[in-house]
Amino acid sequence: MSSKNTIILAAGKGTRMKSKLYKVLHRICGKSMVDHVLTQVSQLDMDNIITIVGYGAEDVENELGNRCEYVVQDQQLGTGDAVARAEGLLKDSDGETLVISGDTPLFTAATLKQLFEYHEQKKATATILTSQAPDPAGYGRIVRNNLGIVEKIVEQKDATSEEQGIHEINTGVYVFDNQALFEALHKINNDNAQGEYYLTDAIEVLKNEGRTIAAYKMANFNESMGVNDRVAQARATHIMQDRINRYHMKNGVTIVNPDATYIDSDIKIGQDTIIEPGVQLQNGTEIGSNCVIGAHSKISGSKIHDNVHVFSSVIEDAEMMPGSDIGPNSHLRPGAEIGKNVHIGNFCEVKSATIGEGTKMGHLTYVGNAKLGKHINIGCGVIFANYDGAHKHTSTVGDDSFIGSNSNLIAPVHIADHTFIAAGSTITDDMNQYDMGIARERQTNKPGYYKKLPFKGAN
């Protein structure tokens, strides 16, 4: 039965990254490189996706989960050996097999689809994905005859001066007839300086057997970039950022300065939202329509509904309902749920708390482990003291209440609807509806005491 398969090569350690983190797990715009590859491949309706793992195998499996199958390459004996490890899972399959590296995060599903279509159109046994490189140094060159038929792939170190002048390069991505692929892999050897089994040698075997070898030249060279060090990682990130920002702008989002805006993959943003410079939108975030995300805000794992304004603030694993606003310089921590038309001003922090519709806190307030009702006024410098040194405790405040400036609410405490807390109070007891709470020392004035002080006004 004909099938469509993919083998993702992700077994190499990646020593040039100079990192304890396994190479293919380094992130580009919020997603690991190998996840980018798998995400694009998965859009092609594959019957089988097999990831070849080696170093860091468990970490890769944890990253990708059950979205593919895994085969371990215990020793790194080259790309040919890595692909051969998948034979046990694919040997009975007819059809086509894509081979792609896990450190090439910029390939798109559209390009890979075109590769398959070209392979089928040419009735090829193997099709090489190629590109026109502005600077081909370091890449394998595609050598064609005068009819445009692929003669061979020659590596940089083996290329003649004439071959080094060729700009069509091998991207390291292939589509094979599945059965022919594994037959050819049994015929290659490791008689080379590296002592490794090269997948390109399988291409040569098929060519010598008179099989049809095709080469599809993709339009965008940038997609073919492999990431082997931090410099390439930065270049790939820049390309991916540009791709992401263009996608959102074409879908009705205003990005004031795309070069200074950092949006991760898979972020949703509604039409007519404005993103100002320096903004970071990170994994798991969804932004509604008609929002303003002000300069230098950072939002991760959060849902921002329509008509929300965020000014120079940090929001993580939180939710803001329509019409609410925050900032500048405020912080929503995990578990913050901000209701409709809530105003959170500057230098405020909310954590594991719900803030009801229409409630306002202008500045310098901390709300932790609390449930606040609707239309509450919270004065400057209010603190919900939720931690006793060992445990977190919860406080509640009812609708239409007033909390005066510089008040402390010592959890656990329940403040009913329509209550008033006088400024400067430390509240430790529950309050009933319509109560006013005052908890402060009475002022005492001592006549003439100033004259006894050691200083006389400003120095």
Side-chain angles (χ1 to χ4, degrees):
M1 179 172 146
S2 182
S3 63
K4 185 178 286 188
N5 314 299
T6 292
I7 299 172
I8 300 174
L9 304 181
K13 187 175 183 179
T15 55
R16 280 182 285 172
M17 294 297 288
K18 299 190 184 304
S19 173
K20 295 178 182 178
L21 183 65
Y22 185 45
K23 180 173 75 166
V24 298
L25 296 181
H26 280 266
R27 306 189 94 72
I28 304 290
C29 295
K31 184 183 290 188
S32 68
M33 293 193 287
V34 69
D35 193 350
H36 277 293
V37 174
L38 178 57
T39 297
Q40 296 303 312
V41 166
S42 297
Q43 297 177 37
L44 302 179
D45 297 323
M46 291 290 167
D47 295 291
N48 301 287
I49 302 176
I50 299 165
T51 300
I52 310 299
V53 294
Y55 291 104
E58 183 176 345
D59 292 335
V60 175
E61 292 180 28
N62 289 337
E63 175 78 6
L64 302 181
N66 60 4
R67 296 158 60 196
C68 62
E69 297 181 87
Y70 302 93
V71 174
V72 176
Q73 185 188 27
D74 297 314
Q75 292 180 282
Q76 312 309 297
L77 299 177
T79 52
D81 177 74
V83 173
R85 299 303 179 100
E87 185 175 14
L89 295 176
L90 297 179
K91 63 182 179 180
D92 296 326
S93 298
D94 292 322
E96 305 156 331
T97 295
L98 170 73
V99 179
I100 188 169
S101 175
D103 63 0
T104 53
L106 298 175
F107 281 114
T108 64
T111 294
L112 299 177
K113 182 174 183 290
Q114 291 163 4
L115 174 62
F116 272 106
E117 291 172 347
Y118 188 86
H119 175 80
E120 293 164 2
Q121 175 189 338
K122 295 296 182 180
K123 295 181 172 55
T125 302
T127 300
I128 309 159
L129 181 62
T130 74
S131 186
Q132 194 75 7
D135 178 8
Y139 290 95
R141 309 302 206 279
I142 303 298
V143 180
R144 298 177 184 262
N145 64 19
N146 58 359
L147 297 177
I149 297 171
V150 175
E151 289 289 334
K152 61 180 177 177
I153 304 170
V154 60
E155 297 303 321
Q156 168 83 24
K157 63 182 182 298
D158 300 321
T160 65
S161 57
E162 182 179 358
E163 289 168 342
Q164 287 183 15
I166 297 172
H167 282 253
E168 185 179 8
I169 56 96
N170 176 21
T171 67
V173 177
Y174 314 88
V175 172
F176 290 91
D177 173 272
N178 186 70
Q179 294 294 325
L181 168 62
F182 292 108
E183 290 171 7
L185 287 173
H186 284 292
K187 299 174 183 178
I188 66 174
N189 60 57
N190 63 344
D191 185 16
N192 53 64
Q194 301 298 321
E196 295 183 351
Y197 297 89
Y198 296 134
L199 184 58
T200 49
D201 288 348
I203 297 281
E204 186 174 354
V205 167
L206 296 172
K207 174 74 174 175
N208 292 338
E209 292 177 349
R211 308 285 190 105
T212 300
I213 308 299
Y216 173 67
K217 187 187 294 186
M218 57 190 261
N220 186 351
F221 169 72
N222 284 337
E223 283 191 36
S224 67
M225 179 184 295
V227 175
N228 292 311
D229 58 28
R230 307 296 179 120
V231 175
Q233 182 182 12
R235 287 201 303 267
T237 296
H238 181 75
I239 293 167
M240 183 71 77
Q241 284 173 346
D242 181 68
R243 182 187 297 176
I244 291 169
N245 290 346
R246 286 175 178 272
Y247 168 81
H248 289 297
M249 288 187 287
K250 288 180 178 180
N251 282 279
V253 176
T254 295
I255 299 179
V256 176
N257 184 353
D259 290 336
T261 302
Y262 309 95
I263 303 175
D264 279 351
S265 302
D266 304 326
I267 302 295
K268 297 179 181 179
I269 308 175
Q271 291 182 353
D272 294 317
T273 283
I274 299 172
I275 310 292
E276 294 184 349
V279 167
Q280 298 179 58
L281 302 181
Q282 298 182 333
N283 269 348
T285 292
E286 182 175 345
I287 309 291
S289 299
N290 300 298
C291 295
V292 176
I293 310 300
H296 307 295
S297 294
K298 180 178 179 180
I299 305 176
S300 62
S302 299
K303 185 168 185 177
I304 309 300
H305 291 260
D306 298 344
N307 302 299
V308 170
H309 288 194
V310 177
F311 299 109
S312 302
S313 293
V314 175
I315 301 173
E316 49 182 332
D317 300 316
E319 184 170 8
M320 295 186 69
M321 299 301 289
S324 57
D325 67 89
I326 185 172
N329 302 311
S330 286
H331 187 184
L332 298 185
R333 291 171 58 193
E337 299 179 15
I338 309 305
K340 292 181 179 180
N341 303 315
V342 168
H343 168 64
I344 299 175
N346 54 299
F347 299 102
C348 295
E349 182 175 342
V350 181
K351 171 254 178 189
S352 297
T354 60
I355 312 295
E357 181 177 353
T359 289
K360 301 183 185 302
M361 60 177 78
H363 31 236
L364 300 163
T365 294
Y366 171 71
V367 180
N369 295 87
K371 183 176 182 180
L372 277 60
K374 300 177 181 179
H375 305 294
I376 299 168
N377 185 85
I378 303 173
C380 177
V382 170
I383 295 173
F384 282 71
N386 58 327
Y387 185 48
D388 64 7
H391 302 96
K392 299 289 179 69
H393 300 279
T394 300
S395 295
T396 60
V397 179
D399 298 343
D400 299 298
S401 295
F402 182 99
I403 303 176
S405 295
N406 202 36
S407 295
N408 300 308
L409 282 71
I410 312 299
V413 67
H414 172 71
I415 310 300
D417 296 346
H418 304 284
T419 50
F420 187 102
I421 296 175
S425 295
T426 296
I427 302 299
T428 59
D429 298 326
D430 293 350
M431 293 176 59
N432 297 320
Q433 193 172 23
Y434 304 119
D435 283 355
M436 180 175 74
I438 304 175
R440 61 192 183 201
E441 290 287 339
R442 289 187 178 276
Q443 181 174 334
T444 300
N445 294 339
K446 296 187 179 293
Y449 193 81
Y450 178 89
K451 297 178 181 179
K452 299 178 182 181
L453 297 174
F455 66 88
K456 301 298 185 226
N459 292 325

